Amino acid sequence: MTEAMKTSLIAVFALLLVGCESSKTNTSITSAQAAALSAQLANDKADAAYHRRPFQNNQPAQFKDGRWVWTDGHGAGALDIQATVELAANGSTNSVDVKVMDGTTVTF
């Protein structure tokens, strides 16, 4: 095997490795994974704003327009709290909206 062939093979393997590595960050998550992550994010925001963690992983996430959308609402003590979470297809956070039904909104 010539030196040029060895260099070419190394370059090809390097490109394949980089391609495999970069595809991991673009991998889509499942509806169940999106729902679990969304409930966690919504609870974190509700806890920070209202000292409540009312959301459970029992609402499915819907895939709409290339992103996951999850909504849920619950009574938490004297408060009625609603959350809407949007995630990219790979699970990265786009937005987390948590609001008390009286109109107070906390967006992170």
Side-chain angles (χ1 to χ4, degrees):
M1 188 178 269
T2 68
E3 193 63 35
M5 289 177 71
K6 288 180 186 178
T7 303
S8 295
L9 284 175
I10 291 171
V12 168
F13 286 124
L15 286 174
L16 288 173
L17 183 60
V18 169
C20 290
E21 197 62 32
S22 66
S23 68
K24 289 180 185 176
T25 60
N26 293 326
T27 302
S28 294
I29 61 174
T30 66
S31 176
Q33 292 168 322
L37 178 57
S38 296
Q40 177 185 344
L41 292 168
N43 276 321
D44 291 347
K45 300 308 174 196
D47 190 35
Y50 309 111
H51 307 291
R52 305 280 196 284
R53 298 185 71 78
F55 303 105
Q56 298 176 16
N57 180 15
N58 57 6
Q59 292 293 341
Q62 303 295 318
F63 197 72
K64 298 177 183 176
D65 299 323
R67 69 185 190 286
W68 291 105
V69 179
W70 179 88
T71 59
D72 198 8
H74 286 283
L79 301 175
D80 287 328
I81 302 175
Q82 178 153 354
T84 300
V85 179
E86 293 185 12
L87 303 173
N90 68 359
S92 61
T93 305
N94 285 346
S95 68
V96 179
D97 252 358
V98 175
K99 63 183 174 183
V100 173
M101 296 311 284
D102 71 356
T104 304
T105 301
V106 178
T107 303
F108 297 87

